[in-house]
Amino acid sequence: MKKYVGYLIHAVLFVFLLYWGSYLNQSLRVAAGRTFHPTPVLVFYVVFPIAIGIYLALPNFIINILRPGLWKIEWAKFAILGTVSLFLALTPILSFLTPIGQRVPWLTTWLFTFNQGYTIAGTLFGYLLLSVPEKISSN
């Protein structure tokens, strides 16, 4: 029973996080329309999916913290998947706020043709942040 209550609380908090993110997104878009400063919206587009990924990995990370053993990090997994997913997650910022967007034209094209891509990549990066470190038994 305790397990089901935990799942229910996790689901409710997830829905609340999505609702809060939607509200914040709309507020930032309205403010950007008034002030003509899109930077907060672009930063939100990068940070929010990473926060979602971190939230999704949080239960297993807490279990890892409570488990006895030594910490181990899969550096190859984090270096390859983490680097690629972080680069793709940063696409909105790289395209509009840095000179990289002018030098790498496919980046902006990718941003507009597959705009869910940076969201998926950000969620993957956030999930990797907490799932790559794990404890192994000390035996």
Side-chain angles (χ1 to χ4, degrees):
M1 185 67 170
K2 186 177 178 182
K3 187 183 216 180
Y4 297 117
V5 172
Y7 289 149
L8 182 64
I9 291 170
H10 189 63
V12 168
L13 289 175
F14 184 69
V15 169
F16 175 74
L17 182 63
L18 290 178
Y19 174 77
W20 176 79
S22 173
Y23 176 78
L24 186 59
N25 179 25
Q26 190 61 28
S27 298
L28 289 172
R29 290 176 68 167
V30 168
R34 288 183 186 147
T35 62
F36 302 106
H37 294 292
T39 305
V41 176
L42 295 174
V43 170
F44 177 80
Y45 287 162
V46 171
V47 172
F48 186 67
I50 293 173
I52 292 289
I54 288 171
Y55 181 77
L56 292 175
L58 197 59
N60 283 337
F61 186 70
I62 292 170
I63 290 170
N64 263 335
I65 288 174
L66 299 175
R67 185 182 313 160
L70 301 171
W71 285 99
K72 176 189 153 219
I73 297 175
E74 293 184 53
W75 288 108
K77 181 180 181 180
F78 188 70
I80 295 169
L81 289 175
T83 304
V84 171
S85 63
L86 179 62
F87 177 76
L88 293 176
L90 291 174
T91 302
I93 291 175
L94 294 175
S95 294
F96 296 112
L97 301 178
T98 67
I100 293 174
Q102 297 166 354
R103 296 196 189 342
V104 185
W106 66 264
L107 196 63
T108 306
T109 304
W110 182 79
L111 175 66
F112 287 118
T113 56
F114 185 55
N115 58 0
Q116 296 89 2
Y118 64 86
T119 304
I120 295 167
T123 306
L124 173 64
F125 181 74
Y127 190 84
L128 281 174
L129 283 176
L130 293 187
S131 67
V132 169
E134 62 182 350
K135 280 192 178 176
I136 56 173
S137 64
S138 57
N139 303 38

